[in-house]
Amino acid sequence: MYIKLAIQNMKKSIRNYVIYFVTITLTAAMMYSFLALGFSKEVLTMSENISMLTSGILGMSVLVALIASFVISYAIRFMLEERKKEFATYELLGMETSNIQKLFFIENGVIGMAAFFIGTFLGVGLSGVLVQIINHIFEMSHAYRISFSIKAFATAFIFFMFMYGIGILRAAKVIRRRKIVDMLYDHQKNENGKKHSLRFHITLIILSILCIFTGGCFLAKGLSVQTNVFYFWMTGAVILTATGIYEMYRNLPILLLRLLNKSKRRKYKDINLFYFGQIGRKVDSAGKLMAIIAILLTVSLSTMFAGLSMGAGYKANMEAYYPYDAGVALDAPLTKKSMEPMIEFTRQQCKVEDELIYYLYGTDTYPVEALALSDYNHLRCMLGLKPVSLSANEFFIHCDTWNYVEKIQKALEQKSKITLAGNVLEIAETAIHTEPMEQYQMAGTRGYALVVPDQVANQLSGEKIRLVMKLENGGYPELKHELKKFLHDPNAWTPELQDGKSLPERVTMGVTVKAWGVENSLTGFAAISFCGLYLSIIFIILSSTILAFEQLSKIDYNRRNYQILDKMGVAQKTRRCLIKKEVGILFFIPAILPMIMMIFLIAGANQVFGEAILQENLFLTYGIVTLAVFGGIYLLYYWATTSVFQYAVLKKEFYK
């Protein structure tokens, strides 16, 4: 009987369970897909320290399960509020409390398990996409394929039972302690709200703006220091910004509504009196909630943006930092013969398919190094690029740092000729080449370099020497440490200076191995990116869920109010528009400030870190991606909440 009754109740209340079902489904899908990524054998074989990705995802999953348990409890309490009259009737008819609990558990158990399995099914498809993304990051061949991970499924199920079990236990406690009279007449209790003067709200708004501004100053100061004082400035920035956002949301909506209500012409126009009354009650009852949600959304958007842009930025820089399989850079005027022992040593470790020893030539009158055309074309061939030609009296500039390109173009427009070693050179037809060639160590040290004919380069002084090698299968990560050890062993390698040259006071030396860079650098950034994305999406889902249930928690009260409008002759189309506006206010007020702060964050990141990222508009691109993901999830919940609200409030059966 209880099973039949539970199934009948679920069918009758299906729309009330929509948001609840969607939340559990999306949470399960995200949890399974990221766990499947962390447990994927294909991913775990990419590098030795890729296990930090698995550890990070497991840690985030524990946090997600803990936070989700509170949100599920909140949702279950909403379900209980919606069903309290029904449960009170059951008790009056003689049903025992334990049987009511059993009935409620059956309903939620069926819905929860259905949502979990559907979410897992969606997560299987999403996990394939995530594996593709990480394969792309590590530059490995990949094709989309669907695979099921037993380990990920079992772990996700354990976390799901943990967060779902906490919610069910809390629901049982509520059912056991609620009295019949409370369940029957709770909806008729009046809400008491304390009102403050306009001056009070204005003062707090001004103070909140000062807090946010001061927090921004603390953040800028923290980013400019490189000592432990950084943590002090960052802690202060977080506390001040969060406090400012909270107080802004607690006071600004109330102030705006007070000002709107002062205009009698606007207040009594059409049905604005009803609309302002509905919004006023929402702001009074859910003001703290909206403030907290605004803080959570700010954290979510910032985390997602930082994770995506950090990973993508490092990926973009990888092509410039590690374009060559192996390279040795010595800022000293050594002979080319002194670099040959390094090639022989490398050949003993792995096959060397191609190598090049070359100089970065000094240009006394210009703050930039020069490359000989033959050396430059050899480097291009090693990178799979087509060689370029140059006349005897021409030069061009190679710059793979996008933020310098515009400045260089303007400089060339003002001065299209240079003089090197008595040779007057004109700018070539293609003035600037921008392919990634690592111009902070190997093909220059300033982010750009002059490329000149060989006969001109031979008249210049080779102040810095470089060695680049192309290795079979790209080499291996340990080669970097082996080369460093070789360079520091006086018995294995003895450098020779050019005739008439002396060592500078400080010799800068660098060893780069692409395999090492991918394994030991990109892995950490990939872990940060995916963990940040995982946590931020879950935060957005759970924040949207709380807003949805807060809107739906006063269904009985709103139903009576809209019933009055119906009896006054207000058209259903108008009432539907009012509902959209009412739900929109609760949803979009908490999202306004986080989106504004995101815009400032994008602009600030581009200003502070733009020169270090070798991909133009990267922060803008991933800022738009962050806002698009947020907007998609947020609008889904807004639409679902509006649909359920309209159904519950406007359905004719409720008026009979």
Side-chain angles (χ1 to χ4, degrees):
M1 181 188 71
Y2 293 118
I3 294 175
K4 290 181 180 179
L5 188 58
I7 294 173
Q8 183 180 356
N9 288 336
M10 281 189 292
K11 289 180 180 178
K12 189 169 61 176
S13 326
I14 189 67
R15 292 217 175 191
N16 291 335
Y17 283 102
V18 167
I19 296 172
Y20 182 57
F21 184 83
V22 168
T23 298
I24 297 175
T25 301
L26 291 179
T27 303
M30 296 300 299
M31 189 174 288
Y32 172 84
S33 60
F34 277 91
L35 285 169
L37 174 70
F39 290 129
S40 171
K41 292 182 179 179
E42 180 181 350
V43 173
L44 291 174
T45 56
M46 288 182 178
S47 67
E48 292 181 2
N49 60 349
I50 196 68
S51 58
M52 71 169 61
L53 176 63
T54 304
S55 302
I57 289 175
L58 282 172
M60 291 299 103
S61 296
V62 173
L63 182 60
V64 165
L66 185 62
I67 296 172
S69 67
F70 290 101
V71 177
I72 288 176
S73 299
Y74 184 87
I76 289 176
R77 287 179 69 91
F78 165 76
M79 297 300 172
L80 288 173
E81 290 298 315
E82 286 294 294
R83 307 280 299 282
K84 59 190 175 185
K85 287 185 181 180
E86 177 188 335
F87 293 154
T89 303
Y90 289 153
E91 286 199 46
L92 289 172
L93 291 173
M95 186 181 290
E96 295 181 3
T97 303
S98 60
N99 290 330
I100 295 175
Q101 292 176 347
K102 187 186 300 182
L103 179 66
F104 189 72
F105 292 164
I106 291 172
E107 294 178 22
N108 276 271
V110 171
I111 292 171
M113 294 309 297
F116 176 76
F117 283 109
I118 293 175
T120 301
F121 175 77
L122 297 175
V124 170
L126 180 58
S127 64
V129 176
L130 296 178
V131 171
Q132 269 198 305
I133 293 173
I134 202 166
N135 273 319
H136 175 71
I137 291 174
F138 281 85
E139 296 183 346
M140 295 185 175
S141 58
H142 55 87
Y144 178 80
R145 64 175 179 270
I146 296 175
S147 61
F148 182 75
S149 172
I150 295 293
K151 189 181 292 186
F153 176 80
T155 308
F157 185 75
I158 291 171
F159 284 132
F160 173 78
M161 292 304 295
F162 167 76
M163 64 186 187
Y164 206 70
I166 291 177
I168 291 295
L169 290 174
R170 289 184 177 178
K173 186 178 179 180
V174 172
I175 294 174
R176 187 170 58 253
R177 292 187 175 182
R178 293 292 290 272
K179 297 178 181 179
I180 296 176
V181 66
D182 291 335
M183 290 192 285
L184 286 173
Y185 298 108
D186 263 359
H187 65 283
Q188 296 182 4
K189 292 181 180 179
N190 293 323
E191 294 181 358
N192 297 319
K194 185 179 179 181
K195 291 188 177 181
H196 297 281
S197 65
L198 288 177
R199 183 179 298 176
F200 175 84
H201 293 297
I202 292 172
T203 302
L204 286 180
I205 288 170
I206 293 173
L207 290 175
S208 66
I209 293 172
L210 290 175
C211 281
I212 294 173
F213 177 77
T214 308
C217 293
F218 275 36
L219 177 63
K221 181 66 177 177
L223 294 174
S224 65
V225 300
Q226 298 181 352
T227 62
N228 289 334
V229 182
F230 164 83
Y231 298 103
F232 167 78
W233 292 111
M234 295 304 292
T235 303
V238 171
I239 293 173
L240 287 171
T241 304
T243 303
I245 293 173
Y246 180 82
E247 289 301 329
M248 176 75 76
Y249 271 99
R250 288 291 291 121
N251 294 276
L252 184 59
I254 297 174
L255 178 63
L256 292 176
L257 280 170
R258 292 271 192 91
L259 295 175
L260 288 172
N261 280 317
K262 280 196 169 188
S263 174
K264 293 184 178 180
R265 183 178 179 183
R266 184 183 292 107
K267 182 177 180 179
Y268 295 108
K269 183 180 179 181
D270 297 330
I271 52 176
N272 282 350
L273 182 63
F274 173 84
Y275 178 64
F276 288 161
Q278 290 287 100
I279 298 305
R281 280 183 287 273
K282 285 287 185 296
V283 170
D284 287 337
S285 63
K288 291 182 179 179
L289 178 67
M290 287 193 289
I292 293 171
I293 293 298
I295 295 172
L296 289 177
L297 291 179
T298 302
V299 172
S300 301
L301 290 174
S302 302
T303 303
M304 186 186 300
F305 172 69
L308 290 175
S309 58
M310 186 182 296
Y314 198 80
K315 169 65 178 175
N317 284 13
M318 281 289 291
E319 296 180 2
Y321 289 157
Y322 299 101
Y324 315 105
D325 292 341
V328 178
L330 289 161
D331 290 354
L334 304 180
T335 62
K336 290 186 177 182
K337 185 178 179 181
S338 63
M339 305 296 284
E340 292 177 357
M342 297 181 205
I343 301 174
E344 294 301 322
F345 172 79
T346 306
R347 284 199 177 108
Q348 296 174 11
Q349 317 305 319
C350 60
K351 184 178 180 181
V352 178
E353 296 181 346
D354 194 7
E355 74 276 347
L356 173 66
I357 302 172
Y358 62 99
Y359 289 113
L360 295 180
Y361 296 95
T363 56
D364 296 333
T365 55
Y366 304 102
V368 61
E369 295 95 358
L371 270 169
L373 179 63
S374 60
D375 295 332
Y376 175 78
N377 278 331
H378 196 153
L379 291 175
R380 290 181 66 91
C381 291
M382 292 175 75
L383 297 175
L385 303 173
K386 294 181 179 179
V388 297
S389 58
L390 197 62
S391 299
N393 63 338
E394 290 182 335
F395 77 96
F396 62 82
I397 294 176
H398 190 99
C399 177
D400 61 12
T401 311
W402 65 266
N403 53 297
Y404 289 149
V405 173
E406 187 176 349
K407 297 177 183 178
I408 293 172
Q409 286 177 337
K410 290 181 179 179
L412 292 176
E413 290 174 2
Q414 297 176 358
K415 187 175 182 180
S416 60
K417 295 183 180 181
I418 62 172
T419 302
L420 289 177
N423 300 281
V424 179
L425 305 177
E426 298 180 351
I427 191 67
E429 183 178 355
T430 302
I432 304 174
H433 292 263
T434 59
E435 297 88 349
M437 294 186 72
E438 207 293 282
Q439 293 201 275
Y440 282 96
Q441 184 169 263
M442 301 306 298
T445 59
R446 300 173 182 269
Y448 49 90
L450 289 173
V451 180
V452 298
D454 285 18
Q455 59 269 30
V456 176
N458 291 334
Q459 300 175 42
L460 302 175
S461 174
E463 300 294 338
K464 301 172 183 178
I465 194 166
R466 301 291 186 262
L467 165 64
V468 169
M469 294 176 284
K470 184 177 180 180
L471 309 176
E472 185 179 31
N473 299 322
Y476 56 97
E478 293 77 13
L479 180 61
K480 178 175 181 177
H481 302 290
E482 293 170 358
L483 281 172
K484 277 189 171 183
K485 185 178 179 180
F486 176 82
L487 290 173
H488 287 93
D489 185 355
N491 297 322
W493 181 65
T494 304
E496 297 179 4
L497 287 171
Q498 300 175 31
D499 294 338
K501 297 287 185 177
S502 59
L503 282 175
E505 294 182 3
R506 184 178 179 182
V507 177
T508 301
M509 179 175 64
V511 176
T512 61
V513 175
K514 186 174 184 178
W516 182 92
V518 171
E519 180 173 308
N520 293 277
S521 300
L522 198 55
T523 299
F525 284 92
I528 293 172
S529 298
F530 279 90
C531 290
L533 182 65
Y534 180 24
L535 189 62
S536 58
I537 290 177
I538 291 293
F539 266 36
I540 294 171
I541 290 172
L542 299 181
S543 300
S544 303
T545 302
I546 293 173
L547 286 176
F549 284 119
E550 176 62 29
Q551 176 65 52
L552 299 175
S553 62
K554 303 293 188 297
I555 287 291
D556 289 336
Y557 181 83
N558 286 291
R559 188 180 295 138
R560 293 196 302 271
N561 289 347
Y562 279 92
Q563 183 181 4
I564 294 171
L565 286 184
D566 185 29
K567 292 179 178 179
M568 291 173 61
V570 178
Q572 189 181 66
K573 182 178 180 181
T574 304
R575 284 180 282 136
R576 286 185 176 275
C577 290
L578 278 173
I579 287 174
K580 289 180 181 179
K581 290 180 181 179
E582 184 179 336
V583 177
I585 286 292
L586 186 69
F587 264 82
F588 296 118
I589 282 181
I592 292 172
L593 193 56
M595 289 193 292
I596 292 174
M597 294 190 71
M598 263 298 298
I599 293 172
F600 282 104
L601 182 61
I602 293 168
N606 194 64
Q607 182 69 28
V608 176
F609 303 109
E611 291 188 1
I613 303 297
L614 303 177
Q615 179 179 329
E616 193 171 2
N617 297 324
L618 182 138
F619 290 112
L620 176 62
T621 300
Y622 284 93
I624 293 172
V625 170
T626 299
L627 292 174
V629 172
F630 165 70
I633 298 172
Y634 215 61
L635 289 174
L636 171 66
Y637 274 88
Y638 167 71
W639 171 80
T641 306
T642 303
S643 300
V644 173
F645 193 83
Q646 287 177 340
Y647 173 82
V649 170
L650 301 180
K651 192 177 180 184
K652 289 294 183 183
E653 285 80 351
F654 292 122
Y655 298 160
K656 296 179 181 179

